[in-house]
Amino acid sequence: MVEKKKRRLYIRTIILSVMVVAVAYTLYANFTKDKHAKLEIGDDAPDFVLTDMEGKKHQLSEYKGQGVFLNFWGTWCPPCKREMPDMDSQYQVYKDQGIEILAVNIGDTEFQINNFVNSHDLSFPILRDKTKDVKDMYRITNMPVTVLVDPDGKITQVEVGELTEAKIKGMMESIKPNS
C-alpha cells in the first residue's frame, strides 16, 4: 500500500512538472512573439553591429541617408558564389551614389571567407555573423537572402535566392538616395 502511494505521488509530480514547463514555455512564447515576428516591407531594419574582415565595426544605423544592399551568404552556397561577382560589379557603379553593400557571412571561418573574397576579388565590406544573432534577427533560413534598406532605414524588399546582375542593378536603383 505504501509503495502504491509513492508511485502515485511520483507520477503526479511528473505530470505537474510537465504542466509547469508547458505554461512557462507558453508565457515565454507570448512575451517574445514580437521578437520572432516576420519582418515586413516598411518595417525599420533591425540595427546591428558586426565587424568586417579588416576589423572595422559596421553599425547598420550609421548608414542612414544611404541605401543599403544587405546580403546574407555563405562560402558553401553555390548561388552565393555566382551572384557575388555581379554584386561587386554593380557596387563599383553605385558606391559613389549613396549605396552600400554589406555582405553578412553566416558561420564560415575567417580562413574560408578570406579565400572566397580573394578568389572573387570582392571590394565591398564582408561582415562576419559568428554568433548568428543577426541571421536570427532577420529570420534568415535559406541563402542567399538580400534585404534592401532605404535611406530612411526602412526595409523595402526581401529577396530570397540568387540574383542576376540586372536584378541587382534594379534593386540598387530602387534604394538610391535622391540627389
Side-chain angles (χ1 to χ4, degrees):
M1 188 74 162
V2 172
E3 190 65 35
K4 199 174 190 181
K5 284 185 178 183
K6 282 184 180 179
R7 193 172 337 149
R8 205 174 325 153
L9 178 62
Y10 179 70
I11 290 171
R12 287 180 181 165
T13 303
I14 290 173
I15 291 171
L16 182 60
S17 298
V18 169
M19 289 174 59
V20 167
V21 168
V23 168
Y25 175 76
T26 302
L27 290 172
Y28 168 79
N30 283 330
F31 285 120
T32 62
K33 70 181 174 188
D34 288 339
K35 288 183 184 176
H36 301 292
K38 186 175 185 238
L39 293 176
E40 300 287 337
I41 304 304
D43 286 351
D44 288 329
D47 198 17
F48 61 84
V49 177
L50 290 174
T51 305
D52 67 20
M53 300 307 292
E54 283 77 46
K56 181 182 176 199
K57 291 194 182 298
H58 295 261
Q59 183 165 2
L60 182 63
S61 59
E62 290 178 356
Y63 291 95
K64 237 181 182 151
Q66 297 180 57
V68 178
F69 187 97
L70 185 60
N71 181 266
F72 293 88
W73 68 285
T75 60
W76 47 268
C77 163
C80 301
K81 291 177 187 177
R82 291 189 296 266
E83 73 181 5
M84 284 289 184
D86 293 337
M87 285 170 48
D88 197 69
S89 172
Q90 291 304 308
Y91 180 64
Q92 297 308 317
V93 173
Y94 286 93
K95 69 181 179 183
D96 294 328
Q97 297 180 44
I99 303 286
E100 186 62 66
I101 289 181
L102 298 177
V104 179
N105 178 274
I106 299 172
D108 287 318
T109 66
E110 190 171 337
F111 178 76
Q112 291 169 312
I113 298 168
N114 281 328
N115 280 345
F116 185 92
V117 169
N118 292 335
S119 70
H120 291 84
D121 198 26
L122 302 176
S123 59
F124 49 79
I126 305 292
L127 313 181
R128 285 186 70 198
D129 187 11
K130 298 180 210 176
T131 61
K132 301 183 181 176
D133 289 343
V134 177
K135 170 192 166 281
D136 294 342
M137 190 184 309
Y138 277 81
R139 299 358 157 238
I140 304 301
T141 55
N142 297 320
M143 284 191 273
V145 172
T146 302
V147 178
L148 297 185
V149 181
D150 72 11
D152 296 322
K154 303 281 186 194
I155 295 173
T156 62
Q157 186 175 349
V158 177
E159 191 74 31
V160 178
E162 183 176 351
L163 302 173
T164 64
E165 189 162 4
K167 178 85 172 175
I168 293 167
K169 180 179 180 170
M171 293 169 83
M172 289 194 173
E173 280 291 330
S174 77
I175 57 171
K176 189 164 77 170
N178 296 331
S179 300

